[in-house]
Amino acid sequence: MTQPELYFISGSPPCWSVMLALEVKGIAYEPRRLDNAKREQKSPEYLKISPRGQVPVLVDDGTTVRETLAVLSYLDAQYAEPPLFGQTPVETARIWQAICECDANLRDTVGEISRPLFRGKGMEIAQQVTDAAEKVRAELDLIETGLSKEAWMAGDNLSAADLILYPVIMQLTRAAAREGEAALELGIHPLARHFPNIDGWCREMEKLPGYDNAFPPHWK
Ligand SMILES: N[C@@H](CCC(=O)N[C@@H](CS)C(=O)NCC(=O)O)C(=O)O
Protein backbone atom coordinates (compact mmCIF):
# COMPACT_ATOMS: atom_id res chain seq x y z
CA MET A 1 0.00 0.00 0.00
CA THR A 2 1.33 3.47 -0.86
CA GLN A 3 1.78 6.10 1.80
CA PRO A 4 -0.94 8.70 2.35
CA GLU A 5 -0.24 12.07 0.74
CA LEU A 6 -0.92 15.35 2.52
CA TYR A 7 -1.37 18.55 0.53
CA PHE A 8 -0.49 21.49 2.76
CA ILE A 9 0.62 25.12 2.92
CA SER A 10 3.37 25.93 5.42
CA GLY A 11 2.06 27.78 8.48
CA SER A 12 -1.61 26.96 7.85
CA PRO A 13 -3.04 26.03 11.27
CA PRO A 14 -5.46 23.41 9.88
CA CYS A 15 -2.62 21.74 7.96
CA TRP A 16 -0.45 21.78 11.06
CA SER A 17 -3.24 20.04 13.02
CA VAL A 18 -3.37 17.24 10.47
CA MET A 19 0.42 16.91 10.40
CA LEU A 20 0.49 16.61 14.19
CA ALA A 21 -2.16 13.88 13.99
CA LEU A 22 -0.15 11.96 11.39
CA GLU A 23 2.99 12.24 13.54
CA VAL A 24 1.29 11.33 16.82
CA LYS A 25 -0.22 8.26 15.17
CA GLY A 26 3.14 7.35 13.65
CA ILE A 27 1.78 7.33 10.08
CA ALA A 28 4.45 7.75 7.40
CA TYR A 29 3.18 10.07 4.68
CA GLU A 30 4.23 12.00 1.59
CA PRO A 31 4.11 15.75 2.27
CA ARG A 32 2.93 17.68 -0.82
CA ARG A 33 3.71 21.30 -0.08
CA LEU A 34 1.88 23.97 -2.07
CA ASP A 35 3.30 27.47 -2.42
CA ASN A 36 0.69 30.03 -1.42
CA ALA A 37 2.81 32.86 -2.91
CA LYS A 38 2.53 31.14 -6.30
CA ARG A 39 -1.16 30.31 -5.67
CA GLU A 40 -0.37 26.66 -6.37
CA GLN A 41 -3.54 25.70 -4.50
CA LYS A 42 -5.53 27.29 -7.35
CA SER A 43 -3.78 25.41 -10.16
CA PRO A 44 -6.05 23.39 -12.47
CA GLU A 45 -4.41 20.13 -11.32
CA TYR A 46 -4.96 20.87 -7.65
CA LEU A 47 -8.53 22.09 -8.20
CA LYS A 48 -9.32 18.58 -9.40
CA ILE A 49 -8.37 17.37 -5.91
CA SER A 50 -9.80 20.29 -3.95
CA PRO A 51 -12.43 22.26 -5.93
CA ARG A 52 -12.17 25.29 -3.62
CA GLY A 53 -8.40 25.27 -3.86
CA GLN A 54 -7.94 24.79 -0.14
CA VAL A 55 -5.69 22.78 2.12
CA PRO A 56 -5.38 20.43 3.96
CA VAL A 57 -6.27 17.49 1.75
CA LEU A 58 -5.33 13.90 2.53
CA VAL A 59 -5.20 11.28 -0.21
CA ASP A 60 -5.03 7.78 1.20
CA ASP A 61 -5.41 4.52 -0.68
CA GLY A 62 -7.51 6.12 -3.42
CA THR A 63 -9.62 8.16 -1.01
CA THR A 64 -9.47 11.96 -1.02
CA VAL A 65 -10.48 13.69 2.20
CA ARG A 66 -10.92 17.46 2.48
CA GLU A 67 -11.68 19.50 5.62
CA THR A 68 -9.44 19.27 8.69
CA LEU A 69 -11.97 17.66 10.99
CA ALA A 70 -13.00 15.15 8.34
CA VAL A 71 -9.32 14.26 7.88
CA LEU A 72 -8.77 13.87 11.62
CA SER A 73 -11.90 11.71 11.91
CA TYR A 74 -10.78 9.59 8.96
CA LEU A 75 -7.30 9.11 10.42
CA ASP A 76 -8.75 8.15 13.79
CA ALA A 77 -11.04 5.56 12.24
CA GLN A 78 -8.38 4.17 9.90
CA TYR A 79 -5.40 4.28 12.27
CA ALA A 80 -6.80 3.63 15.74
CA GLU A 81 -3.85 4.35 18.05
CA PRO A 82 -3.64 6.58 19.95
CA PRO A 83 -7.32 7.54 19.85
CA LEU A 84 -7.85 11.24 19.19
CA PHE A 85 -11.59 11.46 19.79
CA GLY A 86 -11.83 9.71 23.17
CA GLN A 87 -12.83 6.26 24.29
CA THR A 88 -15.99 7.03 26.23
CA PRO A 89 -19.04 9.13 25.30
CA VAL A 90 -18.05 11.73 27.89
CA GLU A 91 -14.51 12.01 26.53
CA THR A 92 -15.80 12.29 22.97
CA ALA A 93 -18.26 15.00 23.94
CA ARG A 94 -15.60 17.00 25.76
CA ILE A 95 -13.20 16.80 22.84
CA TRP A 96 -15.81 17.96 20.31
CA GLN A 97 -16.91 20.68 22.70
CA ALA A 98 -13.37 22.09 22.88
CA ILE A 99 -12.98 21.87 19.09
CA CYS A 100 -16.33 23.56 18.42
CA GLU A 101 -15.54 26.28 20.95
CA CYS A 102 -12.19 26.91 19.29
CA ASP A 103 -13.77 27.14 15.86
CA ALA A 104 -16.67 29.30 17.05
CA ASN A 105 -14.86 31.66 19.40
CA LEU A 106 -11.13 31.69 18.77
CA ARG A 107 -9.96 30.78 15.27
CA ASP A 108 -11.40 33.71 13.30
CA THR A 109 -10.61 36.27 16.00
CA VAL A 110 -7.00 35.09 16.07
CA GLY A 111 -6.95 35.66 12.29
CA GLU A 112 -8.11 39.25 12.86
CA ILE A 113 -4.96 39.75 14.95
CA SER A 114 -2.42 37.63 13.10
CA ARG A 115 -3.20 38.74 9.53
CA PRO A 116 -2.46 42.47 10.11
CA LEU A 117 0.46 41.81 12.45
CA PHE A 118 2.16 39.40 10.03
CA ARG A 119 1.80 42.08 7.36
CA GLY A 120 3.16 44.80 9.65
CA LYS A 121 -0.18 46.62 9.50
CA GLY A 122 -1.24 46.23 13.13
CA MET A 123 -0.79 49.91 14.02
CA GLU A 124 -2.90 51.00 11.03
CA ILE A 125 -5.96 49.26 12.43
CA ALA A 126 -4.91 49.36 16.07
CA GLN A 127 -8.45 49.61 17.47
CA GLN A 128 -9.66 46.55 15.54
CA VAL A 129 -6.63 44.55 16.64
CA THR A 130 -6.94 45.53 20.30
CA ASP A 131 -10.69 44.76 20.24
CA ALA A 132 -9.95 41.32 18.79
CA ALA A 133 -7.22 40.81 21.40
CA GLU A 134 -9.72 41.51 24.17
CA LYS A 135 -12.03 38.77 22.83
CA VAL A 136 -9.11 36.39 22.43
CA ARG A 137 -7.89 37.05 25.98
CA ALA A 138 -11.35 36.21 27.32
CA GLU A 139 -11.20 32.84 25.52
CA LEU A 140 -7.63 32.24 26.67
CA ASP A 141 -8.73 32.96 30.25
CA LEU A 142 -11.22 30.09 30.00
CA ILE A 143 -8.58 27.79 28.55
CA GLU A 144 -6.07 28.91 31.21
CA THR A 145 -8.54 27.95 33.95
CA GLY A 146 -9.21 24.59 32.30
CA LEU A 147 -5.51 23.83 32.15
CA SER A 148 -5.15 24.60 35.86
CA LYS A 149 -7.27 21.48 36.48
CA GLU A 150 -6.28 19.13 33.66
CA ALA A 151 -3.14 18.49 31.66
CA TRP A 152 -4.73 18.59 28.20
CA MET A 153 -7.44 20.60 26.48
CA ALA A 154 -10.17 18.02 27.01
CA GLY A 155 -9.05 15.94 29.97
CA ASP A 156 -6.15 13.79 31.06
CA ASN A 157 -5.13 12.61 27.61
CA LEU A 158 -3.91 14.24 24.44
CA SER A 159 -6.77 14.49 21.95
CA ALA A 160 -7.83 16.11 18.69
CA ALA A 161 -8.74 19.18 20.76
CA ASP A 162 -5.05 19.76 21.52
CA LEU A 163 -4.08 19.24 17.89
CA ILE A 164 -6.69 21.75 16.75
CA LEU A 165 -5.95 24.41 19.37
CA TYR A 166 -2.17 24.29 19.33
CA PRO A 167 -1.57 25.72 15.82
CA VAL A 168 -4.17 28.44 16.43
CA ILE A 169 -2.45 29.51 19.64
CA MET A 170 0.97 29.34 17.98
CA GLN A 171 -0.24 31.55 15.15
CA LEU A 172 -1.48 34.02 17.74
CA THR A 173 1.66 34.09 19.86
CA ARG A 174 3.95 34.30 16.84
CA ALA A 175 1.97 37.27 15.53
CA ALA A 176 1.78 38.94 18.95
CA ALA A 177 5.55 38.67 19.33
CA ARG A 178 6.04 40.79 16.21
CA GLU A 179 7.50 44.23 16.52
CA GLY A 180 4.90 46.82 17.34
CA GLU A 181 2.96 44.56 19.66
CA ALA A 182 4.37 46.38 22.67
CA ALA A 183 2.81 49.59 21.41
CA LEU A 184 -0.51 47.83 20.92
CA GLU A 185 -0.32 46.20 24.39
CA LEU A 186 -2.27 43.12 23.40
CA GLY A 187 -1.63 41.33 26.70
CA ILE A 188 -0.75 38.05 24.98
CA HIS A 189 3.03 38.04 24.52
CA PRO A 190 4.95 36.59 26.27
CA LEU A 191 2.53 33.75 26.88
CA ALA A 192 4.48 32.55 29.95
CA ARG A 193 3.67 35.83 31.72
CA HIS A 194 0.06 36.27 30.66
CA PHE A 195 -1.10 32.65 30.45
CA PRO A 196 1.38 30.39 32.27
CA ASN A 197 -0.75 27.24 32.11
CA ILE A 198 -1.20 27.60 28.35
CA ASP A 199 2.52 28.18 28.03
CA GLY A 200 3.21 25.00 30.06
CA TRP A 201 0.81 23.06 27.81
CA CYS A 202 2.72 24.37 24.76
CA ARG A 203 5.92 22.96 26.28
CA GLU A 204 4.20 19.55 26.60
CA MET A 205 3.01 19.74 22.99
CA GLU A 206 6.62 20.32 21.93
CA LYS A 207 7.49 16.92 23.43
CA LEU A 208 5.06 15.03 21.18
CA PRO A 209 6.58 12.44 18.85
CA GLY A 210 7.24 13.95 15.44
CA TYR A 211 6.66 17.51 16.70
CA ASP A 212 9.62 18.85 14.71
CA ASN A 213 8.47 17.14 11.51
CA ALA A 214 5.11 18.86 11.75
CA PHE A 215 6.56 22.30 12.49
CA PRO A 216 5.84 24.73 9.61
CA PRO A 217 8.89 24.52 7.30
CA HIS A 218 9.06 28.27 6.64
CA TRP A 219 9.06 29.05 10.40
CA LYS A 220 12.15 26.92 11.05
N1 LIG B 1 -12.62 24.50 6.74
C1 LIG B 1 -11.39 24.24 6.06
C2 LIG B 1 -10.59 25.53 6.00
C3 LIG B 1 -9.32 25.34 5.26
C4 LIG B 1 -8.61 26.65 5.03
O1 LIG B 1 -9.07 27.75 5.40
N2 LIG B 1 -7.44 26.54 4.42
C5 LIG B 1 -6.67 27.70 4.07
C6 LIG B 1 -5.31 27.65 4.74
S1 LIG B 1 -5.43 27.91 6.47
C7 LIG B 1 -6.44 27.69 2.58
O2 LIG B 1 -6.52 26.65 1.94
N3 LIG B 1 -6.13 28.85 2.04
C8 LIG B 1 -5.75 28.98 0.67
C9 LIG B 1 -6.81 29.58 -0.18
O3 LIG B 1 -7.99 29.60 0.23
O4 LIG B 1 -6.46 29.98 -1.30
C10 LIG B 1 -10.62 23.14 6.78
O5 LIG B 1 -10.66 23.12 8.01
O6 LIG B 1 -9.99 22.30 6.14
Side-chain angles (χ1 to χ4, degrees):
M1 209 163 88
T2 53
Q3 290 185 347
E5 294 168 276
L6 177 70
Y7 291 87
F8 77 104
I9 289 174
S10 180
S12 148
C15 296
W16 196 352
S17 296
V18 171
M19 289 165 120
L20 285 167
L22 287 160
E23 295 294 342
V24 162
K25 284 181 175 286
I27 304 166
Y29 66 99
E30 292 289 344
R32 303 273 185 238
R33 183 176 172 182
L34 301 178
D35 188 341
N36 184 39
K38 294 183 187 156
R39 309 297 286 158
E40 285 179 346
Q41 72 273 23
K42 306 298 183 199
S43 71
E45 303 79 56
Y46 186 68
L47 289 175
K48 287 182 199 151
I49 295 171
S50 173
R52 292 174 190 82
Q54 288 200 320
V55 286
V57 169
L58 186 87
V59 180
D60 187 19
D61 201 21
T63 298
T64 299
V65 190
R66 302 185 297 272
E67 286 294 325
T68 311
L69 290 170
V71 175
L72 293 189
S73 303
Y74 169 81
L75 290 175
D76 215 39
Q78 190 72 289
Y79 306 90
E81 293 297 327
L84 294 178
F85 288 93
Q87 290 178 295
T88 68
V90 173
E91 285 173 6
T92 302
R94 290 207 50 211
I95 293 162
W96 277 108
Q97 179 176 279
I99 291 170
C100 294
E101 286 174 341
C102 172
D103 281 350
N105 306 313
L106 195 61
R107 188 184 295 279
D108 289 350
T109 323
V110 164
E112 288 169 27
I113 298 169
S114 63
R115 271 190 305 274
L117 290 187
F118 282 146
R119 290 173 190 151
K121 307 269 186 206
M123 294 308 287
E124 289 173 27
I125 51 164
Q127 191 59 51
Q128 275 167 259
V129 173
T130 48
D131 288 351
E134 193 180 333
K135 285 187 204 155
V136 160
R137 283 200 311 273
E139 283 304 309
L140 295 185
D141 278 339
L142 295 174
I143 294 172
E144 179 74 6
T145 303
L147 289 173
S148 70
K149 299 172 194 148
E150 291 172 319
W152 300 97
M153 285 294 171
D156 296 329
N157 298 303
L158 176 84
S159 74
D162 299 282
L163 307 187
I164 288 291
L165 271 147
Y166 181 74
V168 175
I169 290 175
M170 287 297 280
Q171 183 186 32
L172 173 71
T173 56
R174 191 175 169 92
R178 286 284 168 106
E179 232 178 19
E181 186 271 341
L184 285 168
E185 291 177 4
L186 299 181
I188 292 165
H189 175 76
L191 206 54
R193 171 146 57 86
H194 297 288
F195 300 98
N197 295 334
I198 299 178
D199 186 63
W201 165 81
C202 288
R203 301 287 86 76
E204 292 305 310
M205 290 294 293
E206 288 165 13
K207 295 179 195 160
L208 291 179
Y211 174 86
D212 288 340
N213 298 336
F215 199 82
H218 84 289
W219 285 12
K220 285 179 181 169

